[in-house]
Amino acid sequence: MAWHLNILIMATTCFMLFPRSEQSSQSELLQQLRKQLEYPRQLNGWGNPSSDPCYTQPTAVLAVSCEGNAIIELKIIGDRITKPPKFSGYSVPNVTLSEAFVIDSFVTTLARLTTLRVVILVSLGLWGPLPDKIHRLSSLEVLDLSSNFLYGSIPPKLSVMSKLHTVTLDGNYFNVSVPDWLDSFSNLTVLRLQSNRLKGSIPASIGKAAMLTELALAGNSISGDIPDLGNLNKLEMLDLRDNELDGELPEMPTALVTILISKNSLKSEIPEQFGQLKRLQHLDLSFNFLVGSPPEEIFSLPNISYLNLAANMLSGSLSSSLTCSTTLGFVDLSTNRLTGDLPACLNGNMNNKVVKFDGNCFSVDPGHQHEAKYCQQSHKGRGSNKDVGLVVTVVGILFIVLVLSLVLMASNKRSCQKVLAEQQFLQKHKEDNSTSGMSSELLANARCISQAVKLGTQIQPSYRIFSLEELKEATKSFERSAFLGEGAIGKLYKGKLENGTLIAIRCLALHQRYSIRNLKLRLDLLAKLRHPNLVCLLGHCIDSAVDESSVKRVFLVYEYVSGGTLSSYLSGSSPEKTLKWCDRLQVLIAIAKAVHFLHTGIIPGSLYNRLKSSSILLDEHLMAKLSDYGLSIITEEIYKHEVVEGKRYLQNNAAEMDDSEDDVYSFGCILLEVLMGPKLHEKGAPFVLNDLVVSVSSQEEREEVLDPVIVGTSSHDSLSIVVSIMIKCLSAESLTRPSIEEVLWNLQYAAQVQVTADGDQRSEVSSQAC
């Protein structure tokens, strides 16, 4: 009897200890993962090995979910958001995990958590080729390894994971072709491979992945045709933007809600079948080579809200009886070859509808249209009559070469003398350099923006010179009612030109007396700064001294932006001016794009750009535009003794502070104000910043510091990314701050995270279109 009792006790004990043993094993595996990830701060809560991971409090950056005692979800959002300009497949100090990290060992450890259904490991600095053994996670349903440094091919054995339905590998460095085994997935619904280095063509087998609802391959180097996707009856979102696709535009699945195929080289007509996509809300086919007349049915689709056909070669006219859907809010037909009258439903921004049609041959608004003969040029039959075209081309080239040779020989001596004279002049005025260290020679030889950016600025008003009398008439001799304000860089006035155009006039009093020619060199460079997110500089007026050898004042004439400053939207003084989190993200992305252009869009870059929330203007559609940019090109005095955030001063010595890094710091101050809103002014920026840094890992404490408006309208993951960006931008050491390009990339990623969190397709297109 005693023997039976002992067996019963031992069996009961083993049964009771088994779950604890399993729990202990899982805790040990998590500790090992923490060590392999080199102890990121997000995992500080795992510091106690005896704690039960299934009862850890989930946060925006860490979550462990369990079913019974088995871990079924592991989510870790890191803060390694910096992307180097070049990545060659090896460890990058302070960016990736160290050289000691081995991706194969990490995946081996991860695969021992066999019950995992969801794995989200984002921005952790993982690097190396993703090993095939990832398929050992046989229960996996969701895999998200975005924003790491994984390269090589996508493991083929992923296709044997029968339960896997979501694969997200955005923002890595996979550099082979798109896998041709995607049809092997029986349950694949979401495939996101954006912003990698994928090449080759899209395999036809992708058209057999019948369960797909979302396919995103944007930001790669994929070429060739778009395969037949007609069998993807559940596909709702297709994103092929920014690739090298050069075939014809095929018919699309009827369930699609969003189609984004901009910035490719598609050359066909838009299929009439697009007018039958009843669920379609967002269509972006801009920056291709599409021809013919657009199907008029797409304007009246019952759910269409965003239609962008800009920068193609569309021709013909639109019917006067064309109707527009009541849901249509944005239409862009600019930079095509469309003719005739603009249909009534597109004529004017009515009912909050934004319509852009510049750069065509429409009969309306001739000031922003081409002449009719421009759109009547034949562009059909490209590739026909090749022999005749070849002969004509060869003869033409020979003729041009002959003429140029004669001209060059005749003018060689005169040209050389002119160059020598120009060099002597620039050497003489070397003392006129600006604070950014730009020599007059660089200013004289400054190059304008790339061809791609030129396409986006063709429809902007041309730059011209205004007379002082013209400006006086526009402002009624600069009377008090026209005065808008005064700052460290001069007075600002509002005016109205004779044609009714509203303008803003910035008057700069130049402390240093420039020669007329030297100033014009600088103004010529400033005139080239054209970008959708910069307040458009329409022209200038120079008020010279009596002897006309030097300059007293210069007036800069800008477009007038009526929506007010970003500061006014964040101060809380006007309840009707309230920006939700998604709107604030779009403002930040727009300004980051503008600053990135100022730094890299011209040679030399425009630095010291006076980044403040009060110099960011919003138009009636909440599009953000940066004002007061590039003024250091003209004068160095505007930045002397100016305080940034109460304690930081811009130095005149370029060696003491890197210009572009200072813009990043100022952008960090804007991030802080966007996150805090009115609360920034209650305690003061340094105190609020300290509170935010301390509470960044705690959702509850952080929400006490943030602007209440964004707490209820934001994804915690998206907020965490922006907070991390802000802290890096406000780093005391300039060398540790990210570049503005890295800031922009991560803001765009935060917008994608926000879209994924709220599932709002409308917000998705807004964030991607910015």
Side-chain angles (χ1 to χ4, degrees), residues 434-439 442-443 525-526 529 594-611 626-636 638-639 650-651 654-655 657-664 666 740:
S434 67
T435 55
S436 59
M438 295 182 292
S439 66
L442 279 174
L443 288 166
L525 175 56
L526 190 61
L529 301 180
V595 177
H596 180 250
F597 165 71
L598 290 170
H599 284 187
T600 63
I602 60 168
I603 304 173
S606 172
L607 310 173
Y608 280 152
N609 287 296
R610 191 174 177 80
L611 302 184
L626 180 64
S627 65
D628 298 337
Y629 55 87
L631 295 180
S632 59
I633 294 173
I634 300 178
T635 174
E636 61 209 26
I638 58 175
Y639 287 106
L650 297 176
Q651 305 295 328
M657 182 182 297
D658 183 78
D659 297 355
S660 62
E661 294 296 337
D662 183 76
D663 267 354
V664 172
S666 300
I740 194 65

Side-chain angles (χ1 to χ4, degrees), residues 207-218:
K208 300 177 182 178
M211 302 300 292
L212 269 180
T213 62
E214 182 176 340
L215 176 61
L217 303 176

Side-chain angles (χ1 to χ4, degrees), residues 394-412 414:
V394 171
V395 172
I397 291 175
L398 291 175
F399 178 79
I400 292 173
V401 170
L402 179 62
V403 172
L404 289 177
S405 299
L406 294 174
V407 172
L408 289 174
M409 290 173 63
S411 61
N412 181 59
R414 184 178 60 184

Side-chain angles (χ1 to χ4, degrees), residues 647-702:
K647 293 186 178 180
R648 249 178 106 79
Y649 294 84
L650 297 176
Q651 305 295 328
N652 293 323
N653 187 352
E656 294 183 29
M657 182 182 297
D658 183 78
D659 297 355
S660 62
E661 294 296 337
D662 183 76
D663 267 354
V664 172
Y665 181 91
S666 300
F667 192 85
C669 297
I670 294 173
L671 284 171
L672 178 63
E673 189 167 353
V674 166
L675 289 168
M676 300 297 100
K679 290 191 176 183
L680 184 71
H681 308 284
E682 296 175 4
K683 296 183 179 180
F687 297 100
V688 174
L689 177 59
N690 183 65
D691 290 345
L692 185 60
V693 173
V694 171
S695 61
V696 67
S697 61
S698 171
Q699 175 183 331
E700 292 79 6
E701 294 180 8
R702 185 176 60 197

Side-chain angles (χ1 to χ4, degrees), residues 37-211:
L37 292 173
E38 300 174 4
Y39 302 101
R41 64 169 185 80
Q42 291 84 354
L43 303 185
N44 288 343
W46 293 358
N48 182 7
S50 63
S51 61
D52 186 351
C54 293
Y55 290 96
T56 55
Q57 183 69 27
T59 67
V61 296
L62 175 64
V64 179
S65 301
C66 298
E67 194 172 88
N69 290 311
I71 298 177
I72 62 171
E73 177 183 355
L74 177 61
K75 167 187 164 184
I76 309 173
I77 308 294
D79 56 4
R80 293 179 180 264
I81 59 177
T82 301
K83 289 287 182 179
K86 293 183 179 180
F87 175 67
S88 57
Y90 297 95
S91 172
V92 180
N94 301 318
V95 176
T96 69
L97 294 174
S98 69
E99 293 182 0
F101 174 77
V102 180
I103 185 70
D104 191 84
S105 299
F106 177 78
V107 172
T108 300
T109 304
L110 185 66
R112 291 171 64 187
L113 294 169
T114 56
T115 56
L116 279 172
R117 299 178 193 168
V118 177
V119 170
I120 301 175
L121 303 173
V122 175
S123 298
L124 292 172
L126 306 176
W127 65 276
L130 186 61
D132 254 342
K133 61 182 65 177
I134 190 74
H135 83 280
R136 295 178 184 176
L137 291 166
S138 56
S139 299
L140 202 61
E141 300 175 4
V142 176
L143 177 64
D144 186 350
L145 301 177
S146 301
S147 302
N148 285 294
F149 298 84
L150 305 174
Y151 57 85
S153 61
I154 299 170
K157 284 196 174 181
L158 280 179
S159 61
V160 305
M161 303 172 71
S162 59
K163 297 181 180 180
L164 193 61
H165 61 72
T166 299
V167 177
T168 304
L169 301 174
D170 294 343
N172 281 284
Y173 293 85
F174 291 107
N175 54 358
V176 293
S177 57
V178 179
D180 61 356
W181 35 260
L182 295 173
D183 56 327
S184 301
F185 282 105
S186 57
N187 293 305
L188 186 64
T189 59
V190 175
L191 178 64
R192 301 182 65 92
L193 303 175
Q194 297 187 115
S195 301
N196 279 278
R197 297 178 177 178
L198 298 173
K199 51 193 176 183
S201 60
I202 302 175
S205 59
I206 205 168
K208 300 177 182 178
M211 302 300 292

